[in-house]
């Protein structure tokens, strides 16, 4: 997917990873629609990078058609939909507060599905586009103290895996990004939960989960989109974990759809 001149709608644009993604995308000549809730930091980022700021609370799905309309009014149809906004919902299920489960499901899973549903018809009509989900290694592995977050990220990864099959032969692609801990405020908040902190400390002592640098993550994600890669796992040493998790799913997928899954057009014919 050529990013120069492409319209990228990026959610969570003001966060640790989002602001780096926005900067890297701008550097490659993308036309940006940037989304987060707080207008101040969002407008400052858009002014710095030359993109359009559309402040939106993504947990309210009623506002999503307006978001897509505003993005299209600024830059025309969306070429790349990059789902990056998320909330980590730290705590065991018995610890999380009223409303936190609904908010996490709405932001981390519901908004990406609904936004994708709204943007896909235009991508399909133009036979081009890319839907990117920033998921997490928590989609693949169980991190105690992060059950709600892990469930939403597993849902996002699963949705993109299904979408990838549905989109075969259409020219529209997906990229699933599953990343481990990044030096960030999100990780500091996660570290405040004793069970989660213990799990990450153990992973660190086993040297399986080095803490990633946000700039390097952003660069790798943008490279993956530009290189039409369906999947990116970071750190790279976690790739065997992703393969182990993926292997049984791949077997079942082949059983259900065949080695060369039918395209939508072929199934309709
Ligand atoms: N940090 C890590 O270690 C790590 C590890 C694995 C995966 N990830 C994934 O990477 C992505 C980015 O993480 P990050 O650390 O950069 O997060 P972050 O710094 O906490 O940023 C979150 C972004 O989402 C926006 N946001 C939050 N709630 C929103 C809402 N209701 N509606 C619209 N926007 C909202 C925030 O802006 P406002 O507050 O202004 O809305 C901000 O721009 C997430 O998907 C995360 O799950 C992160």
């Amino acid at each position: 997917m050529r990013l120069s001149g492409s319209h990228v709608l990026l959610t969570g644009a003001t966060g640790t990873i989002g602001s780096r993604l926005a900067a890297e995308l701008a550097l490659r000549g993308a036309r940006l629609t940037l989304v987060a809730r707080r207008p101040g930091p969002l407008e400052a980022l858009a002014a710095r990078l030359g993109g359009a700021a559309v402040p939106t609370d993504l947990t309210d799905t009623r506002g999503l058609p307006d978001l897509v309309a505003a993005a299209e009014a600024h830059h025309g149809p969306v070429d790349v939909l990059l789902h990056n906004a998320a909330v980590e919902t730290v705590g065991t299920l018995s610890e999380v507060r009223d409303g936190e489960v609904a908010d996490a499901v709405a932001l981390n899973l519901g908004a990406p599905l609904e936004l994708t549903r709204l943007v896909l018809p235009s991508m399909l009509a133009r036979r081009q586009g890319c839907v990117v989900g920033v998921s997490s290694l928590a989609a693949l592995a169980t991190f105690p103290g992060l059950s709600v977050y892990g469930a939403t990220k597993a849902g996002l990864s699963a949705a993109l895996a299904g979408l990838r099959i549905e989109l075969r032969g259409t020219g529209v692609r997906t990229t699933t990004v599953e990343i481990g801990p990044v030096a960030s405020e999100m990780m500091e908040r996660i570290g405040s939960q004793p069970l989660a902190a213990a799990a990450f400390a153990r992973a660190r002592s086993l040297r399986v989960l080095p803490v990633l640098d946000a700039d390097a993550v952003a660069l790798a994600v943008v490279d993956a989109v530009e290189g039409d890669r369906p999947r990116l796992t970071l750190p790279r040493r976690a790739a065997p974990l992703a393969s182990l998790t993926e292997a049984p799913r791949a077997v079942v997928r082949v059983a259900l759809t065949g080695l060369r899954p039918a395209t939508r057009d072929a199934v309709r014919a």
Side-chain angles (χ1 to χ4, degrees):
M1 176 99 218
R2 190 177 153 77
L3 286 169
S4 179
S6 291
H7 177 191
V8 182
L9 191 163
L10 169 67
T11 69
T14 51
T16 305
I17 297 170
S19 57
R20 268 76 165 199
L21 285 170
E24 187 58 35
L25 289 161
L27 207 63
R28 300 201 193 187
R31 292 174 296 129
L32 296 173
T33 296
L34 304 172
V35 182
R37 282 169 306 182
R38 287 165 298 149
L42 190 65
E43 279 155 13
L45 182 72
R48 183 160 63 81
L49 299 177
V54 185
T56 306
D57 184 342
L58 293 167
T59 58
D60 182 359
T61 48
R62 290 166 306 178
L64 300 184
D66 287 347
L67 165 58
V68 174
E72 289 177 345
H74 281 294
H75 293 307
V78 175
D79 299 303
V80 178
L81 181 56
L82 207 169
H83 302 296
N84 168 70
V87 62
E88 68 279 5
T89 317
V90 179
T92 61
L93 197 49
S94 59
E95 286 170 348
V96 300
R97 295 187 301 272
D98 288 352
E100 280 194 292
V101 171
D103 282 350
V105 173
L107 178 62
N108 302 5
L109 181 58
L113 288 176
E114 188 61 14
L115 262 183
T116 304
R117 192 185 71 76
L118 291 169
V119 165
L120 265 181
S122 151
M123 289 183 174
L124 289 168
R126 290 175 293 129
R127 297 191 71 78
Q128 67 165 40
C130 183
V131 179
V132 189
V134 179
S135 187
S136 165
L137 291 185
L140 305 171
T142 303
F143 285 92
L146 290 175
S147 312
V148 176
Y149 176 74
T152 62
K153 290 299 186 180
L156 178 62
S157 289
L160 286 169
L163 188 60
R164 189 172 310 133
I165 297 173
E166 292 171 5
L167 292 175
R168 276 182 83 99
T170 66
V172 183
R173 298 169 179 278
T174 63
T175 298
T176 305
V177 178
E178 288 167 336
I179 50 181
V182 177
S184 62
E185 288 178 13
M186 182 181 278
M187 262 326 281
E188 282 171 28
R189 294 191 291 267
I190 288 173
S192 69
Q193 209 291 332
L195 284 173
F200 280 105
R202 188 166 158 73
R204 263 196 308 279
S205 72
L206 295 171
R207 299 185 187 281
V208 287
L209 278 189
V211 175
L212 298 161
D213 168 69
D215 286 311
V217 168
L219 191 67
V221 171
V222 176
D223 277 346
V225 175
E226 204 149 44
D228 293 333
R229 289 182 55 189
R231 197 156 185 180
L232 172 69
T233 307
L234 293 173
R236 307 242 184 245
R237 71 180 73 164
L241 168 70
S243 303
L244 276 174
T245 316
E246 186 56 22
R249 291 183 184 155
V251 171
V252 175
R253 193 165 54 238
V254 169
L256 293 178
T257 62
L259 268 175
R260 299 167 66 85
T263 62
R264 296 152 62 103
D265 294 345
V267 170
R268 274 198 208 102

